[in-house]
Amino acid sequence: MDMFFAYLLIASATPLFLWLDNKKIALSSIPPIILMWVFFFFYMTSSLSPAGHSLMIALFIINVIIAHIAAFLIYGLPLIRKRMNR
């Protein structure tokens, strides 16, 4: 759970860093972040069902995938295009 909370803090700042490069990806990452905070609150208050735990893990995975796609689109793809045009 500590790793989830650490990622939640990092993910919460991600839209701020992505805003100047790609607003669409920054906005698409906000709903999973909000839902992760909601599920974290329910987890901390011990009112999360087993299905809620599964959904929380699924949201975590979705957010990790969005973050990796964003990193590739913003940093990896321009580098690949730059090297292909040489």
Side-chain angles (χ1 to χ4, degrees), residues 16-69:
L16 298 173
F17 297 118
L18 293 175
W19 187 255
L20 294 177
D21 293 320
N22 197 325
K23 290 177 178 54
K24 195 180 291 187
I25 294 175
L27 290 174
S28 71
S29 67
I30 292 174
I33 292 169
I34 292 171
L35 288 173
M36 285 188 342
W37 275 108
V38 168
F39 279 100
F40 181 72
F41 172 75
F42 286 133
Y43 177 81
M44 293 307 292
T45 59
S46 300
S47 61
L48 196 60
S49 68
H53 279 293
S54 299
L55 194 55
M56 184 173 73
I57 298 300
L59 286 170
F60 176 77
I61 292 169
I62 289 169
N63 203 349
V64 168
I65 290 170
I66 289 173
H68 281 80
I69 290 171

